[in-house]
Amino acid sequence: MNGNTVWNKIKNWSLLLPVVALILVMAVNIIYDAVNGNNPLSFFMITLQQTTGNGTILYGRIIDILNRGSEAAILAIGMTLVVSSSAGTDISVGSVMSLCASFCCMLLAGYGVSSTTTLARPLIVGILGGLLMGTVCGMFNGTLVAYFKIQPMVATLILYSAARAIGLLLCNDLIVYVRNPSFAFFGSFLGPLPTPLVIAAVCVLIVSLVLRKTALGMYIQSVGINSRASRIAGLNSKRIIFLTYMLCGLFAGIAGIVQSSRITSADSNNIGLYLEMDAILAVALGGNSLGGGKFNLAGSIIGAYTIQAITTTLYALGVSSAQAPVFKAVIVIIIVAIQSEPVRNFFKKQSQARVRGVA
Amino acid sequence: MEDRTVSQGDPSVNDRKEQASKPGIGDDGVVLTARGITMTFPGVKALQDVDFTLRKGEIHALMGENGAGKSTLIKCLTGINDFEAGEIHIDGISGPVKNHSTRDAQNVGISTVYQEVNLCPNLSVAENLFIGREPMTKLHTIDRKSYNKRSQAIMDELGISVDVTLNLENYSLAIQQMVAIARAVDMDCKVLILDEPTSSLDDEEVEKLFILMKRLRDKGVGIIFVTHFLEQVYAVCDRITVLRDGRFVGEYPIEELPRVKLVAAMMGKDLDDLAEIKKEGAQDAVNNPLEISARGLSHTGTVKPFDLDIHKGEVVGVAGLLGSGRSELARSIYGADKANTGTLMVNGKEAKINQPIDAMNLGMGMLPDDRKAEGIIGDLSVRENIILALQARKGMFKPISRAKQEELADKFIALLQIKTASKETLIKQLSGGNQQKVILARWLATDPDFLILDEPTRGIDIGTKSEIQKLIVKLAGEGKSILFISSEIAEMLRTCSRMAIMRDGQKVGELDRELTQENVMKAIAGGETS
Ligand SMILES: Nc1ncnc2c1ncn2[C@@H]1O[C@H](COP(=O)(O)OP(=O)(O)OP(=O)(O)O)[C@@H](O)[C@H]1O
Ligand SMILES: [Mg+2]
């Protein structure tokens, strides 16, 4: 009886599917290593390594995944809120990342300068500028969606196509390099830990705290489930939707700065490329309905790292970067299908039939 | 579990079930039988071993308190619910029938109007009537002209004046309900199921519906009719099946089950729901200071400018025909539809209301009539639904502690006798009447000075209905003001001391003396008013 209730608890755990998906990806790694005569657990190995630039750092495939998946994880936070409140997705986040990176680097290098090692302005000005740019983009999207009632996909299509170009304009059509250690910090290491991971963790922490300590979480879900009823009950539905888009823009700004810091430059054409897809997939993989309403932030974060784990695994398996997207697509389809209603119902019926058979 | 004993007057509730000669398919005139239907939801035994028999050409009332399992049984018949045990047989089909969708049910001749209107608000009335079975032209395209014409004819025949080419969302809940009925009735069927079709209809529409039902009965259709209005049962039904707590209580010919006995069978105890409610001090309330004073308030397209005063401690009713602007009047005060003209004084001070939260901050609350579209937050729990408005008024940064939330939820679940597996159950899993109680609880939790109640007892069973009416009078006794809208005039007569009369979007007068059914009806229909 007791074992039964534990099993039931696991079955009803909201993170079950995203966690299972992550474990599956890990299992593939273990099997692959074992078959190739490597230590089957090498995927999980974390070692300390001396580097010339960053001192002693943690090293290993897991650390690599956590490091590289950070931008998608940061984006997934904002995307989760947007999906919940408006039943739509913000497809501009990748481009907005690029715009924010360009704006930040332009501020730090000075307009028209293509490469610099000294900062033209204090670092904080560049960072705040980038974040502000992201927030403004989010407010633009939010205004269109919440107040002009434009379909989210269409509303965010505007910045999806325009933001990169604006970024190039700000950089005078150049790739601006900011080869300064203080700027590079956001993409390298904080002590032994990758800074992007630390930044992602801080973002998640702050957002979870806000969701827990205020009624924001309930407001967003309530509006997402039934915005008319929420309005009658005294919520300002439009303002809440606006707020989620604004936050999504802010997180795109953070992710943009992290990525440009990694490569110490603002490469308008490549920063954040296709990352909006990863962010949306992360939300879906996390077990969140793209139809809005109830959301699960932890699920989205796990989803984001799962996607990165898939990518890293594919490279480890020797799949070329040109073909990786195909495999990724197949894997994602399988994982999303497992979570879909018909498949879930199918399994539910199977287990019910079993229970009845026993009884 | 304790076995609730049935009162003495109750006719042979238990032995009826054991009757050996239960009619089945093949017997004279039986179109549908359900035997031993059992259905459980997580934590709830919604139906246990329930039997139901429907004969050709009868109107069969399915009765029971909120959460008794009426809608669940209906959804088992139509294939929405997947029941665990039991069999359904339908005349003309050999072997047990198992429907898997409403479509399956239609194919075997069962046509249904569900409790919650589930049409598409952003399609036109005509499209809603014909969706899934559109008439085609020779070129296999949808024949718009023909179905617009046919739709108009159907609605005209029902005596409902609508423009069928307009989107459904432009019309009130009552009209939407009529469209749902028209859609079901228009299909050739052997069995017609109506789950609380009259919950937001006026007497006049109810009358039209009854004429329609009787016509179908005479054509041989078996009709299942769910309602909480007992008068309606006695007006049209031939037979009654009673459920209680998911169990079959009995099946009775209408003559054998007078009102008192029916109530006893449903509740498992006697209830005097017609006890006079004392409106203490109601007459003096007019001497109290004004809570609400509207001058020339209007909302373009729905209500013409009106004046309305409501004193502290007063219950004011709004009476009018369907579409006369009753709800719209209330909505323009509350800011649900922002008033375009006029001034509103709240508590002696001029108020600027742009949206509901502004009204709430002035101590108002509004229970809307359309609970599915404007009331429930389906995927949130009962607890969250109860505290939502209170939380919204406190503001995002002052979250109500979990302990306080649970305390409130427990309090109202007990006070309104909300039947739910737990306070963490999602509200969408509650029965219709219990959802309504949760929304009422949401507003009571905000402790408003002025409460607008638009059809507050919609879908609520008779036992709780009189409790709610008493509660309204009690609130007024505490100095709260209430604006009460109901399509059931009798209900307003029992609670209101004054009534505003609406006609064609205009407030045409008020009645404050000699409030009787007859006078109110006369005023609504166009007699002189003071
Ligand atoms: N989808 C669901 N999930 C869980 N429980 C449910 C679900 N639907 C109904 N129930 C439960 O089944 C019981 C019977 O509900 P049902 O809707 O049949 O009542 P009803 O007789 O139609 O009541 P009402 O008069 O309020 O409409 C209730 O206790 C309800 O909470
Ligand atoms: Mg029901």
Side-chain angles (χ1 to χ4, degrees):
Chain A
M1 205 65 246
N2 203 1
N4 221 342
T5 56
V6 171
W7 175 235
N8 273 337
K9 252 192 198 144
I10 292 177
K11 261 200 325 205
N12 294 330
W13 186 36
S14 57
L15 290 180
L16 178 66
L17 285 163
V19 167
V20 167
L22 189 57
I23 291 174
L24 273 179
V25 178
M26 290 177 183
V28 170
N29 277 282
I30 295 174
I31 294 167
Y32 177 76
D33 285 328
V35 169
N36 282 297
N38 295 335
N39 178 353
L41 294 182
S42 66
F43 178 80
F44 299 95
M45 296 275 248
I46 297 175
T47 53
L48 281 174
Q49 218 173 46
Q50 291 295 77
T51 60
T52 42
N54 296 310
T56 320
I57 57 158
L58 290 174
Y59 182 82
R61 245 189 280 170
I62 290 224
I63 296 294
D64 187 54
I65 290 170
L66 289 176
N67 183 4
R68 298 200 174 274
S70 297
E71 285 96 319
I74 294 169
L75 290 181
I77 302 172
M79 194 65 78
T80 307
L81 303 182
V82 158
V83 168
S84 168
S85 75
S86 71
T89 50
D90 180 348
I91 60 167
S92 74
V93 286
S95 305
V96 170
M97 269 175 78
S98 164
L99 170 58
C100 296
S102 298
F103 188 51
C104 172
C105 289
M106 186 272 272
L107 286 175
L108 292 179
Y111 180 77
V113 180
S114 86
S115 178
T116 178
T117 49
T118 52
L119 301 181
R121 292 188 179 82
L123 181 66
I124 188 78
V125 173
I127 301 299
L128 288 182
L131 299 185
L132 186 70
M133 179 59 85
T135 311
V136 169
C137 290
M139 287 161 77
F140 176 76
N141 287 334
T143 307
L144 293 185
V145 174
Y147 295 99
F148 290 88
K149 303 230 176 265
I150 299 175
Q151 285 281 326
M153 180 81 87
V154 177
T156 57
L157 190 62
I158 299 172
L159 280 179
Y160 171 80
S161 43
R164 264 178 217 288
I166 300 172
L168 267 176
L169 217 64
L170 291 177
C171 291
N172 202 15
D173 280 348
L174 299 166
I175 294 181
V176 178
Y177 289 89
V178 183
R179 295 197 172 96
N180 182 291
S182 67
F183 178 63
F185 163 75
F186 301 103
S188 61
F189 286 84
L190 172 65
L193 289 172
T195 322
L197 172 60
V198 176
I199 294 176
V202 169
C203 289
V204 172
L205 205 77
I206 291 177
V207 172
S208 339
L209 265 180
V210 169
L211 290 178
R212 194 153 302 183
K213 294 284 172 205
T214 71
L216 182 63
M218 188 174 79
Y219 282 17
I220 292 175
Q221 301 189 47
S222 177
V223 168
I225 297 165
N226 188 341
S227 73
R228 265 174 79 190
S230 302
R231 178 170 169 272
I232 297 285
L235 300 185
N236 193 330
S237 300
K238 288 180 186 161
R239 198 183 296 163
I240 288 164
I241 294 175
F242 175 80
L243 184 70
T244 58
Y245 277 85
M246 190 175 94
L247 286 174
C248 191
L250 171 64
F251 286 117
I254 297 176
I257 291 171
V258 168
Q259 199 165 59
S260 88
S261 163
R262 266 188 216 281
I263 54 173
T264 59
S265 69
D267 181 354
S268 289
N269 288 321
N270 287 311
I271 287 183
L273 197 60
Y274 303 136
L275 225 54
E276 61 280 340
M277 293 305 148
D278 282 2
I280 295 167
L281 273 177
V283 174
L285 272 183
N288 294 294
S289 152
L290 292 184
K294 284 247 156 187
F295 71 82
N296 184 340
L297 191 60
S300 301
I301 305 300
I302 296 175
Y305 286 115
T306 306
I307 291 172
Q308 187 59 44
I310 294 172
T311 314
T312 307
T313 305
L314 287 174
Y315 291 150
L317 296 183
V319 176
S320 80
S321 66
Q323 275 146 27
V326 178
F327 288 89
K328 222 162 121 182
V330 172
I331 295 167
V332 166
I333 288 172
I334 293 172
I335 296 175
V336 174
I338 292 175
Q339 304 186 15
S340 68
E341 194 91 355
V343 178
R344 271 188 200 213
N345 283 345
F346 175 79
F347 282 116
K348 213 158 136 203
K349 271 194 192 138
Q350 293 281 310
S351 71
Q352 267 172 12
R354 247 200 346 266
V355 169
R356 234 173 282 158
V358 169
Chain B
M1 254 203 62
E2 38 114 37
D3 202 338
R4 285 212 232 157
T5 42
V6 175
S7 76
Q8 335 79 326
D10 195 20
S12 50
V13 157
N14 291 313
D15 42 20
R16 200 160 275 275
K17 230 190 130 177
E18 268 93 61
Q19 275 178 8
S21 59
K22 204 174 280 171
I25 293 291
D27 284 359
D28 203 24
V30 173
V31 277
L32 177 144
T33 62
R35 291 284 171 264
I37 303 292
T38 300
M39 162 104 214
T40 42
F41 292 109
V44 188
K45 286 192 173 159
L47 294 174
Q48 290 179 71
D49 198 16
V50 169
D51 293 349
F52 185 76
T53 310
L54 183 69
R55 294 160 189 80
K56 272 197 189 88
E58 75 170 356
I59 300 178
H60 195 136
L62 182 57
M63 304 293 293
E65 294 185 278
N66 292 134
K70 305 178 294 293
S71 301
T72 306
L73 177 60
I74 285 169
K75 287 180 189 163
C76 287
L77 297 178
T78 61
I80 289 183
N81 283 343
D82 195 6
F83 51 94
E84 287 129 54
E87 282 187 359
I88 294 169
H89 290 269
I90 291 173
D91 183 35
I93 298 173
S94 59
V97 176
K98 185 106 190 184
N99 294 317
H100 293 287
S101 67
T102 308
R103 207 175 195 121
D104 282 1
Q106 272 164 26
N107 290 338
V108 295
I110 303 178
S111 183
T112 317
V113 177
Y114 293 101
Q115 184 168 8
E116 304 295 342
V117 173
N118 48 359
L119 299 171
C120 306
N122 48 2
L123 292 183
S124 74
V125 173
E127 283 164 328
N128 270 295
L129 281 173
F130 281 100
I131 196 166
R133 53 200 174 97
E134 295 86 354
M136 293 293 173
T137 61
K138 281 187 199 111
L139 295 169
H140 289 277
T141 57
I142 292 175
D143 188 353
R144 246 163 228 288
K145 247 198 217 136
S146 129
Y147 82 56
N148 277 342
K149 222 161 80 201
R150 272 169 61 189
S151 305
Q152 197 69 61
I154 292 167
M155 296 314 285
D156 288 348
E157 195 187 331
L158 280 174
I160 310 290
S161 60
V162 290
D163 179 349
V164 296
T165 58
L166 286 184
N167 281 0
L168 189 69
E169 64 197 350
N170 294 321
Y171 293 105
S172 69
L173 188 63
I175 292 198
Q176 296 187 22
Q177 225 170 29
M178 289 305 277
V179 173
I181 293 167
R183 177 181 158 81
V185 166
D186 188 47
M187 297 192 265
D188 284 327
C189 58
K190 283 190 277 195
V191 175
L192 174 66
I193 303 178
L194 302 166
D195 193 354
E196 297 193 31
T198 56
S199 62
S200 51
L201 299 188
D202 286 326
D203 292 348
E204 202 165 321
E205 281 73 37
V206 170
E207 212 40 61
K208 285 177 196 156
L209 175 64
F210 285 177
I211 291 170
L212 195 75
M213 283 165 66
K214 286 177 185 156
R215 220 163 58 207
L216 288 168
R217 168 176 68 186
D218 297 340
K219 260 174 59 185
V221 177
I223 301 177
I224 304 175
F225 180 52
V226 179
T227 182
H228 288 292
F229 296 104
L230 302 193
E231 325 67 82
Q232 296 179 359
V233 174
Y234 291 98
V236 283
C237 295
D238 305 303
R239 207 179 288 270
I240 304 176
T241 289
V242 178
L243 300 181
R244 188 189 332 133
D245 290 334
R247 286 172 208 272
F248 174 86
V249 174
E251 188 203 277
Y252 318 89
I254 192 95
E255 327 65 77
E256 282 180 25
L257 198 67
R259 186 186 166 103
V260 199
K261 289 186 180 176
L262 169 60
V263 174
M266 281 164 57
M267 303 190 58
K269 60 177 187 228
D270 285 323
L271 170 87
D272 187 8
D273 69 302
L274 291 177
E276 187 56 45
I277 290 173
K278 281 198 206 75
K279 299 187 242 175
E280 272 167 28
Q283 252 44 52
D284 315 330
V286 284
N287 301 324
N288 291 348
L290 281 176
E291 173 70 36
I292 293 288
S293 171
R295 289 289 170 274
L297 226 53
S298 79
H299 180 74
T300 315
T302 59
V303 259
K304 301 189 185 111
F306 66 89
D307 296 348
L308 183 67
D309 287 335
I310 303 173
H311 299 88
K312 286 186 196 298
E314 211 182 5
V315 186
V316 176
V318 185
L321 293 177
L322 188 155
S324 62
R326 291 180 309 212
S327 301
E328 288 77 4
L329 172 130
R331 295 175 70 90
S332 67
I333 297 176
Y334 182 65
D337 302 331
K338 191 182 163 192
N340 302 111
T341 63
T343 54
L344 179 68
M345 307 281 278
V346 179
N347 233 332
K349 281 198 263 321
E350 181 158 353
K352 191 96 197 72
I353 295 175
N354 290 316
Q355 52 179 344
I357 184 69
D358 302 335
M360 283 168 64
N361 286 331
L362 293 167
M364 295 194 204
M366 184 181 86
L367 178 98
D369 65 337
D370 190 342
R371 104 178 132 237
K372 190 177 170 198
E374 296 198 321
I376 66 166
I377 314 287
D379 283 319
L380 292 187
S381 67
V382 169
R383 166 180 58 80
E384 289 167 307
N385 269 284
I386 288 177
I387 59 120
L388 183 65
L390 182 61
Q391 179 67 68
R393 204 182 60 195
K394 280 184 185 265
M396 191 172 97
F397 297 105
K398 292 203 189 102
I400 304 169
S401 75
R402 182 66 183 238
K404 179 77 187 160
Q405 293 187 15
E406 303 205 341
E407 185 193 317
L408 280 168
D410 284 333
K411 176 178 152 197
F412 285 106
I413 288 172
L415 179 73
L416 300 176
Q417 296 156 36
I418 299 170
K419 201 176 158 201
T420 171
S422 85
K423 47 183 177 286
E424 298 308 319
T425 307
L426 301 186
I427 192 173
K428 67 177 177 189
Q429 296 177 341
L430 265 53
S431 80
N434 285 301
Q435 291 178 6
Q436 183 74 18
K437 293 181 196 172
V438 172
I439 306 304
L440 183 60
R442 174 190 294 169
W443 291 108
L444 295 178
T446 65
D447 191 25
D449 299 326
F450 172 55
L451 185 56
I452 298 168
L453 296 170
D454 197 351
E455 305 279 0
T457 60
R458 187 174 155 242
I460 283 184
D461 61 38
I462 42 161
T464 322
K465 205 174 207 170
S466 53
E467 290 302 316
I468 289 177
Q469 290 163 4
K470 280 179 204 151
L471 190 71
I472 289 170
V473 173
K474 182 168 152 262
L475 286 174
E478 292 165 6
K480 319 264 184 211
S481 314
I482 287 158
L483 188 65
F484 190 178
I485 304 170
S486 173
S487 44
E488 196 188 348
I489 293 171
E491 183 177 56
M492 287 194 284
L493 290 174
R494 301 175 75 194
T495 47
C496 301
S497 52
R498 183 153 57 93
M499 272 191 218
I501 309 293
M502 298 293 293
R503 205 183 303 142
D504 295 330
Q506 191 160 19
K507 182 177 167 225
V508 291
E510 281 183 15
L511 278 182
D512 55 3
R513 258 155 304 160
E514 294 169 53
L515 283 178
T516 61
Q517 183 99 12
E518 197 185 346
N519 285 345
V520 175
M521 301 271 271
K522 221 190 284 167
I524 290 174
E528 71 270 38
T529 44
S530 56

